[in-house]
């Protein structure tokens, strides 16, 4: 048996592929367009592992995807490919509409055609798992209860709107064509291999370079934070035991204001890597203009996943953030490469494009 993972060279995708192959022997075909966010180096430890094949391509490629499905006959598709950064979606929503909406539409069509031609056990066991975000639910007030799976969709950013649209397409393909779909909506992830455009890796990178740590607005916006490996465990569990047609919220039960997150990072860095000039990292915190339409609070109720599939996060925010910092400190060459753009040259050399 084989699974097809899309976006498996990105942050969550590469953690998912690495964990999958560490946990089981089932091969992975990894379809990734290698945008700025995709980095084959994340999968360097699999270079000689015949269970992993990286295919450079687009989920919306209606020629390539059917060929891949026919050739590898996966028992499941795990769709992680997306444009994922809210700020980029504000500056240029085009790619978000293209990949997250139209790309998902084409992927669903390809999956549906493949699945429809299956029979017997192959057809019964096939699953299409779509990985989505809590941002589709919009913003909460301080005293509101956390998002459940029944919370109405109210996306506020172009990113969130494009993910919401993709969730609706997935739901409709399940409802209308009977494609066996599953959807997960997860809160903010952090951990190894996260591109240093997102809050936590950006602040680690800037802090080590002695650059300002930019806090949007008053820094009191709240996110729920989940260590990436816990998200990967949840995806595996939903794939194995989730009920077809259902959606599952995934969260860390770990709400923190942005300013608190950055101050925690600074405190840890003061101990782990004291600044040469004797100053504290907190002194680098700089308040900057707020993000337009900035959602105030996300909070996720993952009770359904806990009750039905017995999932719970293994890491607390303290343990996860400690591991994350250690990873970034030990992998400064990775950070240097992705921030210098050199890794794209490596991709051209390696894949000849
Ligand atoms: P990422 O930006 O780090 O990685 C996305 C990957 O998708 C990259 O490898 C990129 O090359 C690839 N990709 C982009 N467009 C593609 C296309 N058209 N065809 C094939 N591959 C393409 O994103 P991430 O943070 O790893 O997020 C993965 C998924 O999880 C996304 O769907 C995102 O919406 C969702 N999600 C992310 C978070 C989070 O906190 N990062 C939280 C909840 C859900
Ligand atoms: P981000 O990591 O971009 O994730 P998302 O927008 O998907 O939640 O941002 C997390 C929070 O941190 C969000 O409230 C925006 C804020 N933020 C800053 O304050 N400064 C920054 O430089 C960045 C990138 C984010």
């Amino acid at each position: 048996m084989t699974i097809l993972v899309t976006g498996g060279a990105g942050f969550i995708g590469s953690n998912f592929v690495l964990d999958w192959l560490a946990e089981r022997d089932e091969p992975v075909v990894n379809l990734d367009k290698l945008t700025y966010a995709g980095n084959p180096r994340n999968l360097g430890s699999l270079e000689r592992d015949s269970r992993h094949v990286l295919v450079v391509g687009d989920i919306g490629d209606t020629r390539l995807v059917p060929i891949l499905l026919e050739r590898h006959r996966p028992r499941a598709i795990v769709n992680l490919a997306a444009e994922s950064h809210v700020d980029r979606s504000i500056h240029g929503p085009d790619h978000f509409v293209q990949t997250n909406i139209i790309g998902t539409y084409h992927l669903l069509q390809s999956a549906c055609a493949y699945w429809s031609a299956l029979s017997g056990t192959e057809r019964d066991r096939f699953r299409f798992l779509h990985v989505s975000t809590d941002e589709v639910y919009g913003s909460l007030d301080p005293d509101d209860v956390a998002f459940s799976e029944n919370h109405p969709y109210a996306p506020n950013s172009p990113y969130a709107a494009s993910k919401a649209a993709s969730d609706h397409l997935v739901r409709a393909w399940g409802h209308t064509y009977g494609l066996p779909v599953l959807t997960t909506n997860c809160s903010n992830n952090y951990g190894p291999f996260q591109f240093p455009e997102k809050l936590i890796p950006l602040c680690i990178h800037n802090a080590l370079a002695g650059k300002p740590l930019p806090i949007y607005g008053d820094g009191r916006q709240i996110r729920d934070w989940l260590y990436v490996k816990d998200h990967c465990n949840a995806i595996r569990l939903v794939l194995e035991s989730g009920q077809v047609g259902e959606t599952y919220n995934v969260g860390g039960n770990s709400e923190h204001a942005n300013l608190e997150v950055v101050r925690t990072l600074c405190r840890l860095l003061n101990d782990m890597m004291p600044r040469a000039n004797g100053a504290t990292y907190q002194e680098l915190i700089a308040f900057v203009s707020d993000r337009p339409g900035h959602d105030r609070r996300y909070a996720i109720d993952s009770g359904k996943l806990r009750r039905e599939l017995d999932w719970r996060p293994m890491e607390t925010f303290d343990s996860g953030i400690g591991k994350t910092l250690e990873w970034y400190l030990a992998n400064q060459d990775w950070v240097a490469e992705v921030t210098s753009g050199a890794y794209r040259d490596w991709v051209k050399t390696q894949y000849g494009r």
Side-chain angles (χ1 to χ4, degrees):
M1 293 197 290
T2 297
I3 61 165
L4 174 70
V5 173
T6 73
F11 162 49
I12 301 172
S14 52
N15 277 287
F16 180 78
V17 170
L18 291 169
D19 285 4
W20 179 273
L21 291 173
E23 294 283 328
R24 56 192 78 196
D25 248 346
E26 190 175 355
V28 174
V29 178
N30 183 352
L31 173 63
D32 197 297
K33 192 176 172 183
L34 298 183
T35 67
Y36 77 94
N39 186 354
R41 190 177 161 180
N42 300 359
L43 303 157
S45 60
L46 301 176
E47 209 168 23
R48 288 179 215 292
D49 192 328
S50 59
R51 297 172 304 163
H52 175 248
V53 181
L54 177 64
V55 179
V56 181
D58 195 312
I59 55 167
D61 187 332
T62 53
R63 204 184 53 86
L64 172 67
V65 177
I67 292 173
L68 281 181
L69 292 172
E70 272 316 309
R71 184 174 301 160
H72 296 282
R73 304 193 71 71
R75 66 156 176 114
I77 297 174
V78 180
N79 183 30
L80 289 134
E83 290 292 336
S84 69
H85 189 39
V86 172
D87 294 324
R88 285 186 192 250
S89 83
I90 294 169
H91 289 292
D94 219 72
H95 289 306
F96 290 74
V97 171
Q98 203 55 47
T99 283
N100 300 1
I101 306 180
I102 302 183
T104 304
Y105 157 67
H106 285 306
L107 184 66
L108 282 165
Q109 286 287 70
S110 301
C112 218
Y114 166 71
W115 167 76
S116 302
L118 297 177
S119 58
T121 331
E122 269 196 323
R123 185 183 170 95
D124 292 344
R125 73 172 175 222
F126 183 78
R127 298 286 183 271
F128 183 103
L129 191 155
H130 179 62
V131 177
S132 192
T133 164
D134 60 357
E135 304 195 25
V136 297
Y137 297 122
S139 187
L140 292 170
D141 286 332
D143 297 327
D144 287 346
V145 294
F147 301 129
S148 74
E149 288 79 1
N150 298 323
H151 198 93
Y153 272 39
N156 288 321
S157 70
Y159 163 67
S162 68
K163 290 297 290 185
S166 69
D167 292 8
H168 291 324
L169 291 173
V170 170
R171 178 189 153 86
W173 260 243
H175 195 79
T176 302
Y177 303 111
L179 186 69
V181 296
L182 297 154
T183 300
T184 53
N185 292 89
C186 188
S187 57
N188 282 58
N189 284 212
Y190 63 97
F193 301 119
Q194 189 167 31
F195 198 80
E197 64 185 358
K198 305 276 167 69
L199 180 69
I200 289 178
L202 177 94
C203 285
I204 297 172
H205 178 57
N206 283 11
L208 294 176
K211 291 186 184 157
L213 311 180
I215 302 286
Y216 298 161
D218 62 7
R220 297 203 179 146
Q221 304 83 4
I222 292 171
R223 298 290 180 264
D224 174 76
W225 293 95
L226 182 70
Y227 190 62
V228 64
K229 304 278 181 194
D230 281 320
H231 186 191
C232 295
N233 288 342
I235 297 171
R236 284 204 309 278
L237 204 54
V238 171
L239 184 61
E240 291 324 309
S241 313
Q243 207 174 323
V244 167
E246 290 293 313
T247 69
Y248 296 88
N249 282 353
V250 190
N253 201 16
S254 175
E255 288 182 54
H256 299 281
N258 294 336
L259 193 53
E260 192 189 327
V261 169
V262 175
R263 283 188 177 140
T264 302
L265 280 175
C266 290
R267 264 199 309 278
L268 290 169
L269 276 170
N270 287 336
D271 292 339
M272 292 164 90
M273 184 67 74
R275 293 179 71 191
N277 63 5
T280 65
Y281 286 99
Q282 282 88 333
E283 290 166 51
L284 295 172
I285 289 175
F287 290 90
V288 299
S289 304
D290 208 351
R291 170 188 281 173
H294 200 171
D295 283 339
R296 203 67 191 163
R297 174 175 169 240
Y298 304 141
I300 198 120
D301 173 357
S302 43
K304 178 178 173 181
L305 190 58
R306 198 178 55 245
R307 281 190 307 278
E308 295 186 10
L309 302 185
D310 199 25
W311 174 87
R312 41 188 50 70
M314 306 299 286
E315 301 294 341
T316 62
F317 186 67
D318 284 348
S319 65
I321 204 77
K323 284 186 176 178
T324 303
L325 255 178
E326 276 167 20
W327 187 88
Y328 278 92
L329 291 176
N331 288 278
Q332 280 299 295
D333 54 338
W334 181 91
V335 178
E337 223 175 281
V338 301
T339 49
S340 73
Y343 86 104
R344 293 181 69 95
D345 298 336
W346 182 88
V347 169
K348 282 199 192 113
T349 310
Q350 176 72 4
Y351 295 95
R353 288 208 320 172

